[in-house]
Amino acid sequence: MKRKRLGKTILLQLLAIVVSLFFLLPVLLVINYSFKTKREMLLSSPFSLPSAFTLINYKNAVHKLDLVYTFANSLVYTVAAVCILALLCGAGAWAIARRREKFFKFSYIYFIIGILVPAQALFIQIFTVGNTLHLINSRIGVVCMYIVTGLSFGMFMMNSFMNTVPVELEEAARIDGCSVFRTFFSVVAPMLKPAYVTLIIMQSFQFWNEYLMTSLFISKRELRTVVLSTQVLFSTYKNDYSTAMAAIVISALPITVLFACLQKYFIKGMTIGAVKG
């Protein structure tokens, strides 16, 4: 029996390693290409190492991307949208989970329907509303657009985590004289820390890498994000893919660092409720 379990464990580990390498290979190829010259990229094998590891492609990418401005724009858009979205989704999901009125049940169904509708089907409507409210080519407009597109998923995810918060703690807080706001921020919100981290990471991925919706709202160069500038690099410098690969590596670094720092809470948030304690 022990040998059989050991064999299954080894087989599963080997399968996990193969799958990991399958997903890791494109990332390694992008990093490898980012150090190659134009000639090496066109003539050498994709798996061959560059003749010399230089940072010239990264320097060119920083210059052509206007990285100081585009990075700051992406950071402002993402941080503002994620913080507001987390606050709205946490408070809204708490109200939906605890109240029994028909309005709150309808609200939950409304957000579920929002998940089922593809975002691409709402491009015209979102742009029309943004244009009517004069939010096109403005930072506030981009942040509002991010919040609107992520609200349905955020509500759904946070509502599913509300079952992990004991109602007795909220009742005890009310008996002690806590207001609704203090009950939420002092009792409910700390209990939802893994859920908040999961939402922050997933929506940060989405907002940082958003291209289609952002391209609808932004046409001014000074408001572009890193992703928009990278696309311009691809279309303008068609023969300079090595610089474009370096730009992709640079744009992926912030999200990679965020995930590495919050990985523990992210895994806990994804697995919470899978095992009953």
Side-chain angles (χ1 to χ4, degrees):
M1 183 64 70
K2 291 183 178 180
R3 291 183 177 179
K4 191 175 182 180
R5 289 182 179 178
L6 180 61
K8 288 183 178 179
T9 302
I10 294 175
L11 183 61
L12 289 175
Q13 290 179 349
L14 291 175
L15 180 61
I17 292 173
V18 172
V19 173
S20 300
L21 291 176
F22 179 78
F23 284 100
L24 189 61
L25 182 60
V27 178
L28 295 178
L29 287 177
V30 170
I31 296 175
N32 187 32
Y33 277 138
S34 68
F35 290 101
K36 288 187 175 183
T37 62
K38 296 179 184 179
R39 179 181 178 83
E40 289 176 334
M41 193 169 185
L42 294 174
L43 299 180
S44 64
S45 169
F47 301 99
S48 63
L49 296 177
S51 58
F53 288 92
T54 63
L55 298 178
I56 186 63
N57 291 329
Y58 288 88
K59 293 179 180 178
N60 293 335
V62 170
H63 174 69
K64 294 174 182 178
L65 283 175
D66 292 329
L67 192 63
V68 176
Y69 300 102
T70 57
F71 187 90
N73 288 334
S74 294
L75 190 63
V76 169
Y77 300 152
T78 303
V79 172
V82 166
C83 290
I84 297 174
L85 184 66
L87 181 61
L88 292 177
C89 291
W94 182 50
I96 291 173
R98 294 295 185 258
R99 302 300 294 268
R100 295 291 179 262
E101 288 84 351
K102 291 183 179 180
F103 171 78
F104 293 96
K105 293 182 180 179
F106 172 79
S107 299
Y108 181 67
I109 296 174
Y110 176 80
F111 287 118
I112 294 296
I113 294 175
I115 298 176
L116 300 178
V117 177
Q120 292 80 0
L122 302 175
F123 279 2
I124 297 177
Q125 294 83 348
I126 294 176
F127 179 82
T128 302
V129 173
N131 189 43
T132 303
L133 298 177
H134 304 287
L135 296 176
I136 305 299
N137 280 321
S138 69
R139 291 184 171 86
I140 296 177
V142 176
V143 172
C144 291
M145 179 266 295
Y146 284 168
I147 295 173
V148 168
T149 54
L151 195 60
S152 294
F153 173 77
M155 283 289 191
F156 171 74
M157 196 193 78
M158 294 301 295
N159 188 78
S160 63
F161 279 94
M162 283 297 166
N163 294 327
T164 64
V165 181
V167 181
E168 293 77 11
L169 292 178
E170 301 174 28
E171 295 174 348
R174 293 192 189 98
I175 293 174
D176 291 338
C178 291
S179 64
V180 175
F181 293 100
R182 187 171 182 183
T183 300
F184 175 75
F185 287 106
S186 300
V187 178
V188 178
M191 297 287 291
L192 293 174
K193 186 177 181 179
Y196 273 118
V197 172
T198 304
L199 179 65
I200 289 171
I201 291 178
M202 296 183 71
Q203 294 302 319
S204 295
F205 283 164
Q206 177 68 27
F207 297 158
W208 185 272
N209 296 313
E210 172 62 43
Y211 170 73
L212 290 176
M213 292 295 295
T214 309
S215 63
L216 288 177
F217 271 70
I218 294 176
S219 59
K220 293 182 179 179
R221 183 171 182 176
E222 60 270 18
L223 298 178
R224 286 177 181 171
T225 62
V226 175
V227 175
L228 288 181
S229 296
T230 303
Q231 186 275 334
V232 172
L233 185 65
F234 267 105
S235 60
T236 304
Y237 304 95
K238 294 182 178 180
N239 295 324
D240 197 4
Y241 290 117
S242 56
T243 303
M245 295 299 171
I248 293 174
V249 175
I250 293 173
S251 65
L253 285 178
I255 297 298
T256 304
V257 173
L258 175 66
F259 180 78
C261 295
L262 302 178
Q263 181 182 10
K264 178 178 68 174
Y265 299 103
F266 177 75
I267 295 174
K268 183 178 179 181
M270 294 297 292
T271 58
I272 193 170
V275 179
K276 294 183 179 180

